[in-house]
Amino acid sequence: MPSAAVVEDASEGLAAGYFPFAWSSGAIVCMSELDTIDRQLLALLQADARLGYRELGRTVGMSPPAVAARVRRMERDGVITGYGARVDPIAAGHEVHAFVVVTTAGRRQSLELARMAHARPTVLEDHRVTGTEDHVLRVVAPRIRDLEPLIDDLNGLGKPATSIVLSSPKPWSPVPPPDLDGPPLM
């Protein structure tokens, strides 16, 4: 059984009953078919991507080659999209961490904003969103004054609004299984 199905059209995925789904290389990756071992491997790799196949295999009760095959399949299917270190922006020299929401005037400005964000190393993330804003950017800068050129450029494409991060009580979290509900709200 495959670990994920790739659906080229979102309506096709919905009609097939796939939930949840995520974008991967322009296609939708449907993750409903991940089994328990796949989910265990994902949890382990999200906690420590440096774990070797031997250690992963010991933990999930499989041989290293079987684990390697599963990990390669999840990489190929777009479930695992990459590996990397989580870096503290302040420790890396960026005292300012901010979110900038931008409302653009239309599709052309939105696409231009996406190209500009992709080209700027200090824009860590760009999310196209629904609602009154069109994009949410996560940005870093060495100092407040270093945000000004970015904000000036964004003003040419729409209306930006910046929120400076004071602290991050939950800076990162692994992606949970889709059937895992969080604790009840108090």
Side-chain angles (χ1 to χ4, degrees):
M1 176 187 318
S3 66
V6 176
V7 179
E8 297 299 330
D9 179 348
S11 60
E12 183 183 322
L14 293 172
Y18 292 122
F19 289 101
F21 52 85
W23 288 105
S24 173
S25 305
I28 295 178
V29 175
C30 302
M31 298 179 284
S32 62
E33 296 183 29
L34 294 175
D35 66 17
T36 303
I37 292 174
D38 291 334
R39 293 184 194 289
Q40 287 176 318
L41 292 170
L42 288 173
L44 291 164
L45 288 169
Q46 286 182 94
D48 184 357
R50 297 175 296 175
L51 291 173
Y53 295 138
R54 179 170 295 157
E55 188 170 344
L56 289 167
R58 267 194 299 263
T59 304
V60 300
M62 295 183 75
S63 70
V67 168
R70 283 177 175 261
V71 170
R72 280 194 300 271
R73 185 186 67 231
M74 289 189 285
E75 291 169 345
R76 181 191 68 232
D77 291 345
V79 177
I80 297 174
T81 59
Y83 301 89
R86 290 187 294 272
V87 176
D88 182 310
I90 293 172
H94 293 283
E95 292 291 324
V96 178
H97 184 196
F99 289 92
V100 182
V101 295
V102 184
T103 304
T104 59
R107 186 173 191 276
R108 185 179 61 78
Q109 290 84 0
S110 180
L111 293 174
E112 182 59 32
L113 190 152
R115 281 190 288 275
M116 189 256 319
H118 192 267
R120 282 188 115 112
T122 58
V123 177
L124 304 180
E125 298 173 14
D126 173 18
H127 303 274
R128 290 187 70 194
V129 298
T130 61
T132 56
E133 291 84 19
D134 300 310
H135 289 260
V136 177
L137 308 176
R138 181 173 156 239
V139 303
V140 293
R143 296 167 303 277
I144 288 284
R145 71 174 178 243
D146 296 319
L147 278 179
E148 189 171 7
L150 171 65
I151 302 303
D152 287 345
D153 289 346
L154 291 172
N155 272 319
L157 297 171
K159 181 181 176 188
T162 304
S163 295
I164 303 295
V165 174
L166 300 176
S167 67
S168 298
K170 186 176 181 180
W172 180 85
S173 184
V175 176
D179 54 354
L180 182 66
D181 281 336
L185 297 175
M186 303 285 170

